[in-house]
């Protein structure tokens, strides 16, 4: 359940409303009064609700998030929010989809500037692991994963998870083809690598003391690099 150490999957500050130009506009968005005579419709309503949910998740996480809070932040009625999303679970899933699309764009920008597959691997580990205990980005993944999903929801989550596997496998393939990495079984190595990163991520989120004085990123990257080091190379 990836996050990012170098770029946010969720913004560190609330997103401003469409057309906002500065901090004053962002503050105003936090207390938009509900105009029941003109509730937004379609894409406008969904966008407003998404921005409100994203800002609230960044502020206080997902556990205490209520649809009424989202409605108040968006300047919409709770009924209108429910009309467009049905329930909080669906809204959180859509926020997660947005979050990962944003994160992948940031990861790709960084990877495009990387000088070698080794640097791309370093970036992958950084973007995957939580930044700290209680990281709201990873918390969103956890909240969404424990929900009961229909077939469509499971398909969306599977595509998101597979997307990270595919990105790692592409890095490994490039490194192997250039002779920078050992000739490992790519699918098998990817499964083990992602499983290790997920386990470390859970440790970090739980607050295991082992990561209070050492770097989870450095540990994970070193473990991967040991296996990927070509035979005969020190």
């Amino acid at each position: 359940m990836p996050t990012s150490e170098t770029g946010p999957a969720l913004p560190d500050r609330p997103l401003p409303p469409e057309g906002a130009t500065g901090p004053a506009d962002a503050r105003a968005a936090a207390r938009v009064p509900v105009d029941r005579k003109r509730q937004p419709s379609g894409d406008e309503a969904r966008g407003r609700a998404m921005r409100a949910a994203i800002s609230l998740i960044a502020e206080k996480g997902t556990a205490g998030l209520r649809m009424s809070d989202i409605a108040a932040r968006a300047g919409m009625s709770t009924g209108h929010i429910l009309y467009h999303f049905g329930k909080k679970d669906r809204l959180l899933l859509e926020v997660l989809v947005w979050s990962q699309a944003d994160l992948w764009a940031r990861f790709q920008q960084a990877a495009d500037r990387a000088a070698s597959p080794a640097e791309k691997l370093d970036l992958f580990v950084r973007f995957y692991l939580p930044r700290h205990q209680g990281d709201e980005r990873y918390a969103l993944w956890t909240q969404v994963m424990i929900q009961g999903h229909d077939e469509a929801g499971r398909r969306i989550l599977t595509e998101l998870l597979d997307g990270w596997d595919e990105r790692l496998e592409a890095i490994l393939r490039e490194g192997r083809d250039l002779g920078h990495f050992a000739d490992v079984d790519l699918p098998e190595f990817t499964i083990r690598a992602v499983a290790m990163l997920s386990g470390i991520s859970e440790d970090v989120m739980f607050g295991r003391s082992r990561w209070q004085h050492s770097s989870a990123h450095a540990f994970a990257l070193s473990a991967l690099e040991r296996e990927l080091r070509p035979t005969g190379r020190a």
Side-chain angles (χ1 to χ4, degrees):
M1 291 180 284
T3 60
S4 168
E5 185 169 303
T6 57
L10 296 174
D12 290 325
R13 297 181 299 277
L15 287 180
E18 291 179 355
T21 56
D25 294 310
R27 288 194 296 272
R31 55 178 186 275
V32 176
V34 177
D35 182 355
R36 298 185 183 278
K37 294 182 179 179
R38 187 195 176 280
Q39 290 289 284
S41 60
D43 292 342
E44 179 189 354
R46 297 176 69 81
R48 187 184 293 186
M50 290 281 284
R51 288 191 294 276
I54 289 165
S55 68
L56 286 165
I57 292 168
E59 289 175 13
K60 60 182 182 181
T62 61
L65 185 67
R66 300 178 301 175
M67 296 297 266
S68 57
D69 296 331
I70 298 170
R73 176 64 58 90
M76 298 163 62
S77 69
T78 302
H80 205 58
I81 296 286
L82 292 170
Y83 172 80
H84 283 283
F85 294 98
K87 55 183 180 178
K88 185 175 80 170
D89 291 354
R90 180 180 170 189
L91 176 58
L92 291 178
L93 179 59
E94 295 202 25
V95 173
L96 179 62
V97 170
W98 177 90
S99 167
Q100 289 301 288
D102 175 75
L103 180 56
W104 282 338
R106 293 172 182 272
F107 170 76
Q108 192 59 54
Q109 290 173 358
D112 288 344
R113 295 191 297 268
S116 67
E119 289 188 17
K120 293 179 183 179
L121 182 64
D122 180 295
L123 286 167
F124 184 91
V125 173
R126 287 185 182 277
F127 273 79
Y128 198 102
L129 295 175
R131 298 170 301 168
H132 50 74
Q133 181 183 3
D135 187 307
E136 67 276 0
R137 303 161 178 82
Y138 202 92
L140 175 61
W141 261 104
T142 302
Q143 178 73 18
V144 173
M145 290 289 284
I146 64 175
Q147 298 167 5
H149 295 283
D150 57 17
E151 183 178 349
R154 291 181 62 84
R155 184 169 60 251
I156 290 170
L157 286 172
T158 298
E159 290 173 356
L160 293 178
L161 293 167
D162 288 349
W164 284 98
D165 289 3
E166 292 163 4
R167 283 163 174 78
L168 177 57
E169 192 166 323
I171 294 170
L172 298 173
R173 180 177 295 105
E174 179 186 3
R176 183 194 63 184
D177 293 347
L178 291 173
H180 295 185
F181 295 158
D183 186 14
V184 297
D185 182 310
L186 297 182
E188 189 269 344
F189 185 92
T190 297
I191 291 172
R192 287 192 296 105
V194 170
M196 178 190 71
L197 291 173
S198 295
I200 293 175
S201 295
E202 292 172 4
D203 252 16
V204 173
M205 290 295 289
F206 182 72
R208 294 288 295 275
S209 59
R210 66 181 57 158
W211 305 120
Q212 293 177 4
H213 304 292
S214 61
S215 167
H217 164 260
F219 178 90
L221 184 61
S222 176
L224 295 175
E225 289 175 335
R226 280 197 301 272
E227 285 199 63
L228 292 172
R229 187 174 298 120
T231 303
R233 182 176 298 181

